[in-house]
Amino acid sequence: MHSAAYPALRLRRTRSSAWSRALHAETVLTPADLIWPLFIVEGEGVEQPIATMPGVSRWSVDLIVERARDAAALGIPCLALFPYTPEPLRTDNGDEALNPDNLMCRAVRAIKDAVPEVGVLTDVALDPYTAHGHDGLVDERGYVLNDRTKDVLVAQALNQARAGADIIAPSDMMDGRVAAIRAGLEADGHVNVQIMAYAAKYASAFYGPFRDAVGSRGRLQGDKKTYQMDPGNAEEALREVALDLAEGADTVMVKPGLPYLDIIRRVKERFEVPVFAYAVSGEYAMIEAAAAAGAGDRDGLVLESLVALKRAGCSGVLTYHAPLAARLLAR
């Protein structure tokens, strides 16, 4: 039996009309695939634009609630929250992370009271709270202490869960923290609170604007290479994912997104679990810079990059372009 050849087989036939392209689409992106990261700041009625992320702002809690209402109207199912901690509250030990009335907890409660149908994902790491900008407690040499940090992260996760967080997302990359957080949540009765582990988080140059957004860039002492992953490593990412799943993670994340499509694909194929990607601040800023320079169409760049992440194996994507993408997809 011979395989079909031109002209019997014309691959352009199924591309010849819009209805046919829609019918044959292999990857379909919807607003339900999006998680919208938002930055919280003290005050009321406050919006602070972030210079390195054009179109993104920090919002006070009352305006974060309005963003949650926007998300519900757009069909975006989940928000990810990150606080901008005031300078006087930043300490070497990140004590404000454990305050039940901190910015994060107040925002979670306000969102769940006003828009309970929208999910809330909270970041578990100490960098928004520490004076030195690291994700954990450090010794006199500046080395982040794994096990002491892990104990604080459990307390931070419980603080957020008690405020109403739906997903706890540890982004710190400490060894053993997923098991410790899962045990803590179970013991405290939060059996349905999910853990989305930042399982393969790379020591990336794409995080700069985010550090501006949470106020940690200028204060960071050294770098994060002793706990975040080497960008050249792939097998190590699979080991990290395997450990986090064994310790009780419900879902796993690869961060950043587009520079690590190969990692997303390998994780999905190896483990067959829900995989998420974070299209990080540097990725957002590059698209915005390209659009501002006239080098590309913003709408097209946003949707194509999100489709690429989903095609690689993502169940969903954290993206600052979530509201734009949702509006485009609703057309």
Side-chain angles (χ1 to χ4, degrees):
M1 181 177 178
H2 297 287
S3 60
Y6 175 84
L9 180 62
R10 294 176 183 264
L11 291 179
R12 289 183 58 193
R13 286 192 188 108
T14 58
R15 305 177 204 146
S16 62
S17 57
W19 67 263
S20 182
R21 291 191 295 274
L23 185 65
H24 291 87
E26 298 176 26
T27 302
V28 178
L29 183 72
T30 76
D33 298 317
L34 308 175
I35 297 175
W36 184 8
L38 292 166
F39 299 104
I40 324 160
V41 70
E42 289 284 2
E44 185 173 349
V46 176
E47 177 185 359
Q48 295 179 345
I50 299 164
T52 51
M53 299 178 70
V56 174
S57 296
R58 305 182 194 98
W59 306 91
S60 53
V61 170
D62 56 318
L63 298 184
I64 284 283
V65 171
E66 293 305 311
R67 304 293 74 73
R69 292 194 174 100
D70 293 341
L74 290 167
I76 298 169
C78 187
L79 305 177
L81 302 181
F82 301 90
Y84 182 87
T85 303
E87 185 68 32
L89 297 178
R90 294 177 182 265
T91 63
D92 285 346
N93 293 329
D95 305 286
E96 181 65 6
L98 308 187
N99 176 5
D101 200 37
N102 64 23
L103 260 178
M104 179 76 87
C105 292
R106 279 184 276 135
V108 171
R109 288 193 294 267
I111 291 169
K112 297 311 291 186
D113 285 346
V115 200
E117 66 272 24
V118 171
V120 176
L121 178 155
T122 53
D123 175 63
V124 171
L126 297 184
D127 53 322
Y129 306 97
T130 55
H132 47 68
H134 278 291
D135 294 31
L137 309 181
V138 300
D139 65 14
E140 63 279 359
R141 298 176 296 114
Y143 185 81
V144 175
L145 300 167
N146 192 94
D147 294 359
R148 284 183 56 195
T149 295
K150 176 169 59 68
D151 293 341
V152 178
L153 297 176
V154 173
Q156 182 185 14
L158 290 176
N159 191 34
Q160 295 172 356
R162 290 165 184 162
D166 300 295
I167 303 175
I168 298 296
S171 64
D172 55 286
M173 291 298 287
M174 297 300 111
D175 291 332
R177 90 280 204 210
V178 171
I181 291 170
R182 174 57 71 202
L185 291 172
E186 292 288 323
D188 208 50
H190 302 289
V191 297
N192 287 327
V193 172
Q194 301 172 38
I195 296 177
M196 180 187 293
Y198 285 62
K201 181 178 180 180
Y202 286 85
S204 172
F206 285 89
Y207 299 153
F210 176 90
R211 291 174 183 163
D212 292 334
V214 299
S216 66
R217 192 209 289 254
R219 69 185 69 247
L220 183 62
Q221 300 169 11
D223 56 44
K224 301 190 177 187
K225 293 180 181 180
T226 67
Y227 48 103
Q228 296 177 356
M229 287 181 53
D230 183 334
N233 290 5
E235 298 296 336
E236 184 183 13
L238 301 181
R239 295 176 67 195
E240 288 280 8
V241 169
L243 284 170
D244 284 355
L245 291 172
E247 291 178 14
D250 300 288
T251 56
V252 294
M253 186 198 298
V254 175
K255 181 181 180 183
L258 286 180
Y260 296 89
L261 292 174
D262 60 316
I263 307 300
I264 295 166
R265 170 52 60 190
R266 291 183 68 173
V267 170
K268 185 65 176 180
E269 290 179 345
R270 173 75 65 89
F271 299 102
E272 299 181 331
V273 297
V275 182
F276 289 77
Y278 199 144
V280 299
S281 58
E283 296 174 71
Y284 173 89
M286 286 198 306
I287 288 176
E288 290 300 308
D297 171 67
R298 176 184 284 104
D299 296 354
L301 291 169
V302 167
L303 291 182
E304 186 175 341
S305 63
L306 291 173
V307 165
L309 289 163
K310 192 171 183 189
R311 188 186 67 241
C314 286
S315 296
V317 181
L318 287 80
T319 172
Y320 302 99
H321 280 123
L324 171 62
R327 291 185 181 96
L328 294 173
L329 293 168
R331 289 179 179 174

